[in-house]
Amino acid sequence: MLNRTRLCVALVAASGLCASAWGQLETPIDYTNYSVVRVTAENATELSSAMSISETTWSERVGIGPFEVVASPAQQEQLAAAGLEPVVVTKDLGSLIATERAELNVLEQAKDAAWFQTYHRTADIHTYLDGLIAAHPQLTTPDDLGDSLQGRQLKAIRITGPGDTTNRPIIFLNGGQHAREWVSPATVTYIADQLLTQYGSDPLVTALVDQIEWVILPVLNPDGYEYTWDTDRLWRKNRRNNGNGTFGVDLNRNWDIDFGGDGSSANTNSETYHGPFAFSEPETAAIRDFLNAEPRIVAHIDFHSFSQLILYPWGYTGAPPLSPSLQTYYEDTSDDMAAAIQSQFGSVYVPQESIALYPAAGVMSDYTASRDLLAWTIELRPSSGGSGGFVLPANQILPTGIENFEAVKVMATSIAFPFSISPVAGNPSVIDPDTATPVSFTVSAQSGVSIDGTPTLLVRTTDTGPFTSIAMTNAGGTTWTASLPASPACETIEYAASVTATDGRTQTFPFDLNSQTLSAEVLTEVSSFFDDMETDTGWSVGSPQDTATTGVWSRSDPQATAAQPEDDASPVGTIAWMTDGAAGSGLGANDIDGGQTTLTSPLLDATDTGGAVAQGPVEAFLSYSRWFSNDQGASPNEDVMVVEISNNNGSSWTTLETVSQNANAWVPVTFSVNDFLTPTSQMLVRFIAADNGAGSIVEAGVDDLRLEVRACTSRVGDIADTFGNLTPDGVIDFGDFLAMLGLVGPCPGGTPGCTGDIADDFGTLGNADGQVSFGDFLALLALVD
Ligand code: 0X9
Ligand code: ZN
């Protein structure tokens, strides 16, 4: 068991750590040689022995099955003796905590340490809030939501723009309900800081501060939080003396929603002890009173760590279903929040209903949801206990704050504005010349609001000029469509959506058109490689990692099984690359067995402009049809096909997609190569299909691979180097006339349409006749710009 001796040693006292107003401080618990170990409880008896041997759990979910606990070497032996099969996942927690502490000391001492490069104690966080209030007196007011059990203030900051606030919705954010989740108060403080520092410069933040009143409470459980600094870094609850030698109530089980139900404990020693009755704790009661006093509160987020989750209601057993519209709202908004987080540093936060994590009773966000607030619990970094759990390195505070500020903005946007507008995923970023191209948006109105007329598409081809507005038409449900106008090659079309409400408010996407628009490049197809696999164009099978014994890639006319098609994907021809196309004696005869098999393309040139001179970007698009089936056999849905791409002839590889879809059909897919790698002349693509599970049926196929290169090529008349010493510069000007003079005469090789021999589609005078002549000069004149 942990050493729980309460002592206040002189050294600690001298450092000020003992100078508490509420009594004696305790010696910090030493976690040297403690580890995080994964145990597996086969039954309730094993579960309860695990809980009695180890005092601190590390997993989000503790129950029958595998979970993680903190254990000393002696406790690990006891766990093993009790049949819990302990496996160490993080060695020496003590040194992890010591490293964190050392890092803190260094940063604290460095005079220029920025606030968010380190963790801070409650009093310092409060001082920081005071600093924000002093620096932004027009936008802030201090707010005291009550006192903790040990008499610390529940100090919040109120943030809103000037003007009448009587109808402004309030969003309430809090951190620090669980003491050891240090990144939570830090993130919440960061959000308050950013709302204020970006006000006046970022248009969206300005609008969100003007239209919403924010109440932000970084530390809801200051007594527990201070205890994690002084005594037990892994303490979770508040510091209630339960009177029987045990301490602490889990505040996040103490709210009046299904109080005492599943996922909360009546055992005072438990980490999820719910307390004697709902709101028995001053911290939870204070927030209840605040909610009662503020009918304008519409939304709430409770920040925790860790696991990277966006949890929405409900989280308790037996909760009634949400209304369909609220369910859709939570799913859509939580997805958008996750996407906004991911857009910053790629962190994946998973949106899900709270109960999908585990049922828990008496939880804060369920309580606020039960009062008709929109309510979330966000679990911050890291994604797993193996990467530090609650002991998150201080250099992660800033990225965690930045990514979650994005999520908060998305959530607040859904409240502050009349519509939620998003471009559909399939809108093209590259379009054909001289071709009207549709783009679509989804537009949904908040309740009580409707669209006036139709949404419009705003379009322009200059960076700063006025937009032309084009009415959109409804394409079913909330989807609206209009076409980008046909435009010549090399234009960049900027566009946006604009929607007006019947109450007169207008909202655009992107939000601020002065700083951001959507765009599409008009690029010409300059080359295209197509392989229908009917002949061998130089594909290769095998890699050093390949171990498959059957179902190795081969080029063949497939024979149908329950997992494999009868026909290739091409409208003409019969052949595709298959993981053995022969049916054999049955379903499992010729599918992949024994590991992976790799198919690699011939070298592809994604810079081939077909002889044209490219101006600006060259964009390559890779498409193919693929077959994948893994949902039959003994261990279904375990295997995948990984598609990788290289731009250096196979020296390194980047994943294009990981296929697990059992479409039971050929699926055509297209990727922009530029989204993954810079296109080069040394491109390869490879398909790695595998059967790693025992007894699965895995079949894969590839057909109709196309590599298309698009570019802005020099226009006819913009004379290229090969014909003169003037560089094509995207502009037809006097220099081109001079260069063209030097070309007068027959085209090289007599081929019509050489540069200068103006083609018909550029002017009625053009004749592309194999001669550069006076008619071509006249046609060129018409192109000057
Ligand atoms: O268990 C909790 O209180 C929260 N997780 S934490 O690890 N930070 O303690 C999550 C509560 C979410 N609600 C439900 N799972 N019902
Ligand atoms: Zn928590």
Side-chain angles (χ1 to χ4, degrees), residues 178 181 236 304-305 379:
H178 284 147
E181 298 164 12
R236 165 182 167 102
H304 288 249
S305 71
E379 299 280 357

Side-chain angles (χ1 to χ4, degrees), residues 60 178 181 236 252-253 304-305 311 315 354 357-358 360 379:
E60 293 284 328
H178 284 147
E181 298 164 12
R236 165 182 167 102
N252 210 25
R253 300 294 181 273
H304 288 249
S305 71
L311 303 173
S354 294
L357 177 63
Y358 46 76
E379 299 280 357

Side-chain angles (χ1 to χ4, degrees), residues 269-551:
N269 203 27
S270 164
E271 287 194 321
T272 54
Y273 172 49
H274 49 55
F277 51 90
F279 297 123
S280 59
E281 304 311 296
E283 296 85 357
T284 53
I287 303 305
R288 173 203 57 201
D289 296 346
F290 158 69
L291 297 173
N292 285 340
E294 285 290 10
R296 289 188 288 127
I297 302 185
V298 297
H300 164 235
I301 305 179
D302 179 24
F303 286 91
H304 288 249
S305 71
F306 56 91
S307 287
Q308 300 185 186
L309 300 170
I310 300 173
L311 303 173
Y312 54 84
W314 300 99
Y316 65 93
T317 307
L322 295 170
S323 73
S325 62
L326 192 54
Q327 178 78 28
T328 308
Y329 168 83
Y330 272 120
E331 286 171 8
D332 292 353
T333 309
S334 306
D335 281 353
D336 291 349
M337 290 160 76
I341 289 174
Q342 195 168 3
S343 74
Q344 300 300 301
F345 311 104
S347 313
V348 175
Y349 284 52
V350 179
Q352 62 186 38
E353 218 178 301
S354 294
I355 200 156
L357 177 63
Y358 46 76
V363 166
M364 182 183 199
S365 61
D366 277 348
Y367 174 70
T368 53
S370 76
R371 297 185 57 135
D372 287 336
L373 272 58
L374 299 167
W376 286 264
T377 297
I378 293 186
E379 299 280 357
L380 300 166
R381 291 190 189 196
S383 59
S384 71
S387 29
F390 307 114
V391 189
L392 183 70
N395 64 11
Q396 304 270 305
I397 296 170
L398 212 47
T400 306
I402 291 169
E403 66 197 12
N404 281 279
F405 186 51
E406 294 304 309
V408 167
K409 286 194 292 185
V410 166
M411 187 277 273
T413 300
S414 81
I415 288 164
F417 301 117
F419 303 106
S420 144
I421 312 173
S422 348
V424 305
N427 285 345
S429 58
V430 170
I431 62 176
D432 287 330
D434 309 314
T435 312
T437 307
V439 289
S440 303
F441 290 82
T442 56
V443 179
S444 38
Q446 315 299 358
S447 65
V449 182
S450 31
I451 302 173
D452 187 19
T454 63
T456 54
L457 181 67
L458 304 177
V459 180
R460 69 180 176 194
T461 51
T462 51
D463 278 354
T464 52
F467 287 96
T468 305
S469 124
I470 303 165
M472 294 200 213
T473 53
N474 188 272
T478 57
T479 307
W480 296 82
T481 301
S483 283
L484 300 173
S487 306
C490 307
E491 292 282 23
T492 299
I493 304 182
E494 292 190 13
Y495 67 98
S498 174
V499 191
T500 302
T502 40
D503 63 12
R505 286 180 292 168
T506 292
Q507 187 184 334
T508 62
F509 187 96
F511 172 74
D512 176 46
L513 301 182
N514 291 319
S515 59
Q516 217 189 349
T517 56
L518 302 168
S519 67
E521 304 263 0
V522 187
L523 297 180
T524 314
E525 181 184 313
V526 287
S527 77
S528 161
F529 165 84
F530 180 65
D531 193 342
D532 61 7
M533 314 300 176
E534 297 301 316
T535 55
D536 188 353
T537 55
W539 291 73
S540 61
V541 172
S543 90
Q545 284 75 43
D546 280 7
T547 48
T549 47
T550 60

